[in-house]
Amino acid sequence: MLMIKILDCTLRDGGYYNNWYFNDELVQNYLRAMEACSINTVELGFRFIDAKEHIGPYGVSDENFLASLNLPSSLNYAVMINGKEYLAIDEDKLKDQIGKNFLSSQDSCISMIRIAINFNDALDSRALLRELKDLGYQIGLNLMQSSGKKETEYEHIASEIQSWNLVDVLYFADSFGNMDPDDVSYIVNSLKKGWKGELGFHSHNNKGFALGNSIRAIEKGVTFCDSTVTGMGRGAGNVTTESLLMELENKKLLEVDLSLLQGTVSDFSVLKTKYGWGTNMHYQYAANNNIHPTFVQTLSDDDRYDQFQSFKILIKII
């Protein structure tokens, strides 16, 4: 069997729909399901520097809050930070800011920090990664807006990051939801020309390709693959944890009792009915025209416009 590691980021990516508030019972059911289905890592939320008002605890995910959760010991845990927040800090103040937000990994509930950063800004993140690595964390660097680059660009950025010896998992994200399986193959092959460590992939389902893209990524050698229960995530959402596990089990790449997911899938299906994530013609049109799904989600949530009007606004953007 391949060493496939599923990182479930429902509580982090899903928080874009409910401001990072999740019911305690729902979370405990979810964690038990993740443990039962041998998920490798659960991303518990964001850790924003300056949390806006009305952001729930999974948008801050501070150590005191995480310590209050009944976290199964068999799972690994992660949080995500926005690299852009830290790049705006003077380098001589960076260590102090990180010290305010993170304990040493030995004293923390989490073992991995994932840094979300735009592809074009990633090479500016070295000082940030060094400070986090010095605290003992496993580091995942998530290259956002990574589609449509030249092979030499992927090779160059991968080679530079490899030379730092600070990153454990190099991720690429389908930020616009416009990748297809051939794009995924091209990016993986290109990154491998400069990167020798573990690779990760984060899908978006704007065009309904999230599952196919994730399977292709795994077939090409990606070992960390993101997913969310019922696909809960920004915009059209992600590959669903249940469908990804089902396909990997069918291909005999993982062994899992899928019946153990039913309870948490049911819980999140209630939220899906309420918030309505998932692909539709708006998200597909946005993907085809490089419009970020956050804009579509914001537009869809605006009570001033019906679906017809919001689609006309999208068309006028191009």
Side-chain angles (χ1 to χ4, degrees):
M1 289 190 179
L2 298 176
M3 290 300 294
I4 301 166
K5 300 166 186 173
I6 306 302
L7 186 149
D8 190 286
C9 51
T10 309
L11 301 178
R12 193 270 304 170
D13 210 352
Y16 282 104
Y17 275 99
N18 62 358
N19 260 343
W20 293 279
Y21 285 99
F22 290 93
N23 175 274
D24 290 345
E25 184 177 356
L26 176 144
V27 169
Q28 289 306 312
N29 288 340
Y30 159 78
L31 290 172
R32 284 193 291 269
M34 296 300 98
E35 180 184 36
C37 291
S38 300
I39 296 298
N40 181 271
T41 303
V42 169
E43 193 165 64
L44 294 166
F46 271 111
R47 190 166 288 181
F48 295 119
I49 290 179
D50 296 314
K52 300 176 183 178
E53 291 184 9
H54 311 303
I55 291 290
Y58 295 92
V60 180
S61 58
D62 63 61
E63 293 291 346
N64 288 334
F65 172 70
L66 297 185
S68 73
L69 301 175
N70 185 20
L71 297 174
S73 60
S74 62
L75 293 169
N76 299 308
Y77 297 99
V79 296
M80 178 172 277
I81 62 173
N82 281 325
K84 185 177 181 180
E85 287 187 302
Y86 287 86
L87 294 187
I89 300 171
D90 291 338
E91 192 165 332
D92 61 341
K93 299 179 181 177
L94 185 60
K95 186 180 184 70
D96 288 341
Q97 181 62 63
I98 290 173
K100 293 177 183 178
N101 291 92
F102 290 96
L103 303 172
S104 167
S105 64
Q106 295 179 343
D107 301 317
S108 175
C109 297
I110 63 170
S111 58
M112 176 185 260
I113 301 172
R114 299 210 299 166
I115 300 93
I117 195 161
N118 281 352
F119 187 96
N120 294 334
D121 296 327
L123 295 185
D124 296 327
S125 66
R126 185 175 184 175
L128 167 61
L129 300 179
R130 186 189 304 112
E131 295 295 343
L132 294 172
K133 192 67 176 175
D134 284 347
L135 291 175
Y137 292 99
Q138 187 178 23
I139 302 298
L141 187 63
N142 292 36
L143 303 177
M144 301 187 299
Q145 299 186 21
S146 57
S147 61
K149 312 297 183 184
K150 297 178 182 178
E151 179 180 340
T152 53
E153 292 179 278
Y154 293 118
E155 181 178 358
H156 172 68
I157 198 170
S159 179
E160 284 294 307
I161 294 169
Q162 179 77 53
S163 72
W164 299 346
N165 197 30
L166 297 171
V167 174
D168 298 286
V169 187
L170 182 62
Y171 262 87
F172 67 99
D174 184 11
S175 299
F176 293 111
N178 58 4
M179 292 181 188
D180 62 27
D182 288 341
D183 295 325
V184 171
S185 294
Y186 177 77
I187 294 172
V188 172
N189 289 338
S190 299
L191 289 173
K192 280 184 173 181
K193 292 179 181 296
W195 176 256
K196 306 308 177 186
E198 292 198 86
L199 284 170
F201 176 61
H202 181 89
S203 66
H204 283 148
N205 204 35
N206 299 51
K207 300 176 71 168
F209 293 165
L211 179 58
N213 285 344
S214 297
I215 295 297
R216 178 65 65 87
I218 290 167
E219 290 173 345
K220 297 300 291 184
V222 163
T223 51
F224 269 84
C225 195
D226 287 7
S227 65
T228 58
V229 177
T230 68
M232 187 179 188
R234 179 159 50 178
N238 316 108
V239 65
T240 72
T241 299
E242 57 271 22
S243 64
L244 182 58
L245 289 177
M246 194 176 300
E247 289 307 305
L248 293 176
E249 195 274 341
N250 186 56
K251 292 176 179 290
K252 302 188 186 307
L253 298 176
L254 284 179
E255 291 182 359
V256 60
D257 183 351
L258 294 166
S259 67
L260 300 174
L261 275 174
Q262 291 305 305
T264 196
V265 168
S266 178
D267 288 343
F268 281 95
S269 293
V270 174
L271 295 183
K272 185 174 183 179
T273 299
K274 178 178 181 179
Y275 294 109
W277 63 83
T279 190
N280 57 38
M281 63 184 295
H282 294 71
Y283 286 116
Q284 185 168 354
Y285 182 86
N288 287 338
N289 291 281
N290 292 325
I291 301 171
H292 199 280
T294 298
F295 178 80
V296 183
Q297 181 177 331
T298 302
L299 191 60
S300 298
D301 291 342
D302 196 321
D303 293 335
R304 293 175 297 172
Y305 310 114
D306 59 26
Q307 293 298 301
F308 178 75
Q309 291 169 319
S310 61
F311 193 72
K312 287 183 68 175
I313 292 172
L314 283 177
I315 293 173
K316 287 180 180 180
I317 291 174
I318 305 304

